[in-house]
Amino acid sequence: MGRPRISVLRFFRRSFSTVNPAKPPPPIPLQEFTSLCYGGQIKEAFHRFNSEIWKDPTLFSHLILSCIQAKSLLLGKQLHSLVLTSGYRREKFVANHLLNLYSKLGDLQAALSWFNALARRNVMSGNILINGYVHVGDLTNARKVFDEMPEKNIATWNAMVTGSVQFECNEDGLSFFREMHQSCFMPDEFALASVLRGCAGLRALYAGRQVHGYVMKCGFEFNLVVCSSLAHMYMRTKSLDEGEKVIKAMPILTVVAWNTLIAGKAQNGYSEGVLQLYKMMKMSGSRPDKITFVSVISSCSEIAILGQGQQIHAEALKSGACSDVAVSSSLIGMYSKCGCLEASLKVFSEHENGDDVLWSSMIAAYGFHGQGEEAIHLFEEMQGRGLEANEVTFLSLLYACSHCGLRKKGMELFEMMEKQCGLKPSVQHYTCMVDLLGRSGCLSEAEDMIRSMRVKPDAAIWKTLLSACKIHKEADMAQRIAEEVLRLQPQDSSSYVLLANAQASAGRWKDVSEVWKAMRDKNVKKEPGVSWLEIKNQVHQFCMSDKYHPEYEKIELYLKELIAEIKKKKGYVPDTASVLHDMGVEEKEYNLTHHSEKLAVAFALMHTPPGMPIRIMKNLRICGDCHAAFRCISEVRNKEIVVRDGSRFHHFRNGKCSCGDYW
């Protein structure tokens, strides 16, 4: 099988023994030596140039750097032994390269031992060790080395500023930056970019503006790296206009600058603006990258425009960006939120080696569409592949269980999350558990969980319990829980509506009137229901009793005939008891008929061919009457109706809904 193997250390030592110090070596052809080193041929480089290395110890640096490049800690340690035996350990240049080797390859114990053994340290020695600790997130030891350094330079301060911000210790990052300034060090572009990211992380607009002034003073106002970070800071602190001004003033609009602007719009909910910027970016000649596609696809998810999303998917495929897991995860979310679960599954199946984020995205898609059993099965398969579940995975699983009535399984997963996986539940996880218990009628148990949990309850978790009170007609409890919600969010209209519904379901009409009066007195406006759909790449939006649509008269006539048809063929009876206003039965029926989602469905039936599913989006939860009507319409018209409301998806087919009337 070839020549017998000789240890690298023995090989190096034997090579050293052949050096004849009586004969001066010829000048070393440095380019050939470095080409061998960085080409991975370390042994050959040492064998061919051993006499030159013996004479010039600084050449060890190339050998050591090539070990770092090859990620060979073993070979690096053997070189370290040769440095010690050759007497070159006092050479600061070589010694620092060895320190860099251990730091870069993660052997920080060896790095610290070598650092302590150095007789002649310099500022570079301390910087190398600090960067080693920062690389693994050990900011405590990095700070210890920093504090003990008698001398510091700009790189020392940069390491502490960037390291603190990188691991979200943003306040420490700003503190180091302040000390750096007080120590009369002029920050470079990397320090400024890092401290601006720290301000963004803290949503510290005032501090960010102060840094902006410092940027101007230092002459970095046209530096592309600094400007991108500055714009990002303004975007994250919801100062979009200031962020746009920074980007428009840049001498060149790079892809990074476009991405900062697009991501800023996306994070602040300006989804339509994102799509407009995406078009402008392409027109300018800049090529979108995977970061661009993640932001743009996510925006399509938010406003649920399937046609535009499919077009961007095609462009991502053409650019090769779909091989990136983050892009694919965004596509899974986009198709799911647009009501195309099959398309989500297709994207997921194209990645054989997806990470935990991709799997969590698919689990979330199943949960959002009420397919809890499939979500749990996928989770079990994920575990079988050795992938670790994170907080998002469990949030998606608990959401799926709560929307499918899988109480026992939900409780098991909640317990597994903390005891087996070591993950601490957030208020969002507890909200899912309260929803799970509340829907199954365990209202007292749900309230006990809120009052005993280790995180501070927010308005959303109390509102979830309030919704359960409405479902189970617990008017007294609803009154008590509503007080908790309104204490945190006194202007939240949905809480008043839920309370009024709970009181109405118990027949307490006087209490309902008092709720409406309280809203008027406090000038609380009820959020109007809005539904929209996309037909031929055009979005059509409807509000309750919306008479401003150009086809309103045709829609109203069609809807009148449709309601009459489902009454006659399927026995549909309008749920007038759900109308919380004191009015006649006919007026109540008219009110129910003109809900925004019914107008949208009527319009879609008028303009879509047979066999094409209807996809409706609504900002609020679908009401019980519309839910019952859509079951009838799906059967009478032989049409699949997909509704995404403020809580989940409903797939109406052949007179049935995917939620099993559990919503």
Side-chain angles (χ1 to χ4, degrees):
M1 296 296 292
R3 293 178 295 176
R5 297 180 64 184
I6 302 173
S7 78
V8 177
L9 186 57
R10 284 176 56 202
F11 167 78
F12 282 149
R13 282 176 175 159
R14 192 174 65 184
S15 299
F16 263 119
S17 66
T18 61
V19 176
N20 183 359
K23 294 182 179 180
I28 179 170
L30 187 60
Q31 187 174 356
E32 186 180 351
F33 172 68
T34 55
S35 294
L36 287 171
C37 286
Y38 301 122
Q41 298 173 283
I42 305 171
K43 292 181 183 180
E44 186 177 346
F46 193 92
H47 177 70
R48 287 177 59 180
F49 297 99
N50 62 80
S51 59
E52 289 87 344
I53 295 167
W54 181 259
K55 291 293 183 182
D56 183 2
T58 61
L59 296 178
F60 267 111
S61 64
H62 296 289
L63 295 168
I64 295 168
L65 285 170
S66 64
C67 290
I68 296 172
Q69 181 180 290
K71 297 181 179 178
S72 176
L73 184 60
L74 177 62
L75 194 57
K77 285 182 175 180
Q78 291 171 333
L79 281 170
H80 188 174
S81 296
L82 283 174
V83 169
L84 293 174
T85 56
S86 63
Y88 292 143
R89 64 174 294 166
R90 291 185 176 276
E91 292 284 342
K92 280 191 290 187
F93 186 70
V94 176
N96 280 339
H97 272 283
L98 284 170
L99 186 61
N100 191 42
L101 168 88
Y102 291 122
S103 295
K104 287 281 179 66
L105 297 184
D107 191 346
L108 292 174
Q109 190 58 48
L112 182 60
S113 297
W114 180 238
F115 179 80
N116 289 332
L118 292 179
R120 300 172 62 195
R121 298 179 201 157
N122 59 9
V123 68
M124 182 63 72
S125 310
N127 289 350
I128 291 169
L129 190 56
I130 286 173
N131 278 302
Y133 282 125
V134 165
H135 184 68
V136 297
D138 187 353
L139 298 181
T140 302
N141 277 315
R143 178 65 189 253
K144 185 179 178 183
V145 176
F146 175 85
D147 289 340
E148 292 173 355
M149 287 176 67
E151 181 188 354
K152 301 174 179 70
N153 62 13
I154 185 70
T156 319
W157 289 100
N158 277 354
M160 295 309 298
V161 173
T162 57
S164 298
V165 172
Q166 181 185 345
F167 291 97
E168 298 183 359
C169 298
N170 296 313
E171 290 182 358
D172 290 340
L174 267 64
S175 178
F176 278 118
F177 184 79
R178 191 180 303 111
E179 291 178 42
M180 177 183 181
H181 172 65
Q182 291 169 351
S183 301
C184 300
F185 282 95
M186 182 66 73
D188 60 11
E189 61 181 327
F190 302 108
L192 289 167
S194 294
V195 78
L196 285 165
R197 287 198 300 275
C199 293
L202 293 169
R203 309 294 192 272
L205 178 59
Y206 179 72
R209 283 174 174 157
Q210 286 183 312
V211 177
H212 189 174
Y214 195 67
V215 165
M216 303 287 285
K217 184 178 178 181
C218 296
F220 283 98
E221 65 268 31
F222 297 117
N223 181 283
L224 298 180
V225 174
V226 175
C227 283
S228 294
S229 297
L230 188 56
H232 171 69
M233 180 276 296
Y234 280 123
M235 296 293 183
R236 289 294 296 274
T237 53
K238 300 186 181 299
S239 299
L240 272 67
D241 291 341
E242 289 177 89
E244 285 190 48
K245 284 179 184 177
V246 171
I247 288 178
K248 288 176 181 177
M250 291 173 66
I252 303 171
L253 273 181
T254 62
V255 173
V256 174
W258 279 110
N259 285 347
T260 302
L261 191 54
I262 288 171
K265 289 278 189 181
Q267 289 161 5
N268 285 281
Y270 294 96
S271 300
E272 293 180 1
V274 167
L275 298 174
Q276 191 63 36
L277 285 170
Y278 176 67
K279 291 177 184 176
M280 291 170 63
M281 178 184 184
K282 291 190 295 180
M283 288 171 62
S284 73
S286 294
R287 294 182 62 183
D289 61 9
K290 60 186 180 182
I291 298 171
T292 319
F293 284 117
V294 168
S295 295
V296 177
I297 292 166
S298 298
S299 294
C300 291
S301 303
E302 291 305 310
I303 51 179
I305 46 173
L306 180 61
Q308 186 77 58
Q310 289 172 325
Q311 183 179 332
I312 293 166
H313 184 183
E315 291 170 7
L317 278 169
K318 188 177 179 181
S319 72
C322 286
S323 60
D324 183 77
V325 174
V327 174
S328 293
S329 297
S330 298
L331 284 167
I332 290 170
M334 184 272 291
Y335 281 119
S336 167
K337 289 181 179 179
C338 289
C340 298
L341 188 60
E342 297 81 3
S344 293
L345 191 57
K346 184 175 183 295
V347 173
F348 175 75
S349 63
E350 288 170 354
H351 279 268
E352 294 183 3
N353 300 313
D355 63 3
D356 58 325
V357 176
L358 191 80
W359 283 73
S360 296
S361 298
M362 194 61 227
I363 289 169
Y366 275 132
F368 201 35
H369 285 262
Q371 299 193 19
E373 297 286 357
E374 288 81 356
I376 292 165
H377 175 73
L378 195 63
F379 171 66
E380 290 168 350
E381 188 179 341
M382 177 182 176
Q383 285 184 305
R385 295 197 178 202
L387 292 168
E388 288 188 9
N390 56 27
E391 290 88 345
V392 177
T393 315
F394 278 101
L395 188 62
S396 300
L397 286 165
L398 294 174
Y399 182 92
C401 291
S402 72
H403 282 75
C404 299
L406 302 173
R407 183 190 166 203
K408 184 179 177 182
K409 188 64 181 179
M411 298 293 283
E412 288 174 5
L413 289 166
F414 187 72
E415 189 175 343
M416 177 198 293
M417 176 185 175
E418 192 165 11
K419 291 185 177 179
Q420 293 184 27
C421 301
L423 301 170
K424 291 183 179 180
S426 67
V427 69
Q428 287 81 17
H429 294 99
Y430 279 108
T431 301
C432 285
M433 290 305 297
V434 167
D435 194 33
L436 181 68
L437 293 168
R439 287 172 187 271
S440 57
C442 304
L443 301 182
S444 296
E445 192 177 342
E447 185 177 1
D448 289 342
M449 175 173 277
I450 297 175
R451 298 195 185 278
S452 63
M453 65 187 192
R454 286 166 291 180
V455 292
K456 187 178 180 180
D458 60 5
I461 196 168
W462 286 115
K463 203 185 299 183
T464 300
L465 183 54
L466 180 58
S467 179
C469 292
K470 173 215 158 191
I471 293 169
H472 296 286
K473 302 180 181 180
E474 290 285 346
D476 290 332
M477 188 176 185
Q479 183 68 49
R480 186 175 71 252
I481 301 304
E483 289 172 4
E484 296 285 357
V485 181
L486 296 173
R487 181 173 55 82
L488 296 169
Q489 288 186 347
Q491 295 298 114
D492 179 55
S493 63
S494 62
S495 301
Y496 288 96
V497 174
L498 284 170
L499 177 58
N501 272 282
Q503 302 288 14
S505 63
R508 298 181 177 182
W509 296 106
K510 183 180 178 181
D511 292 336
V512 172
S513 298
E514 288 179 0
V515 173
W516 298 141
K517 183 178 182 301
M519 288 183 72
R520 289 193 299 272
D521 292 345
K522 295 178 182 179
N523 199 28
V524 177
K525 304 294 183 183
K526 182 179 179 294
E527 183 182 1
V530 179
S531 299
W532 67 96
L533 72 159
E534 183 186 14
I535 295 179
K536 295 180 181 178
N537 290 328
Q538 186 176 352
V539 176
H540 298 266
Q541 182 174 296
F542 297 90
C543 297
M544 184 174 175
S545 301
D546 188 354
K547 298 182 179 181
Y548 296 102
H549 194 279
E551 295 187 50
Y552 174 74
E553 291 182 0
K554 292 180 182 178
I555 295 169
E556 186 173 34
L557 181 61
Y558 185 93
L559 192 54
K560 186 178 179 180
E561 293 172 354
L562 182 62
I563 296 298
E565 186 177 0
I566 61 175
K567 280 182 178 179
K568 181 179 179 181
K569 293 183 178 179
K570 304 306 300 179
Y572 162 72
V573 178
D575 182 16
T576 54
S578 65
V579 180
L580 304 181
H581 296 281
D582 187 16
M583 56 180 69
V585 175
E586 287 187 8
E587 196 175 354
K588 285 185 176 183
E589 281 198 27
Y590 180 87
N591 186 302
L592 289 170
T593 302
H594 290 77
H595 278 189
S596 64
E597 56 265 53
K598 285 195 183 82
L599 294 171
V601 165
F603 180 80
L605 287 168
M606 292 165 59
H607 291 279
T608 56
M612 178 181 285
I614 294 171
R615 292 184 173 86
I616 308 293
M617 312 299 153
K618 188 182 179 184
N619 63 331
L620 305 177
R621 188 173 293 187
I622 186 173
C623 76
D625 181 75
C626 289
H627 194 274
F630 290 170
R631 285 204 316 267
C632 299
I633 293 169
S634 69
E635 188 172 7
V636 168
R637 285 286 189 266
N638 191 25
K639 195 84 161 174
E640 179 183 0
I641 302 171
V642 182
V643 178
R644 187 186 97 181
D645 68 8
S647 177
R648 60 173 296 162
F649 266 98
H650 299 266
H651 294 256
F652 298 93
R653 295 188 189 95
N654 302 318
K656 295 180 181 179
C657 180
S658 59
C659 73
D661 294 339
Y662 188 86
W663 93 103

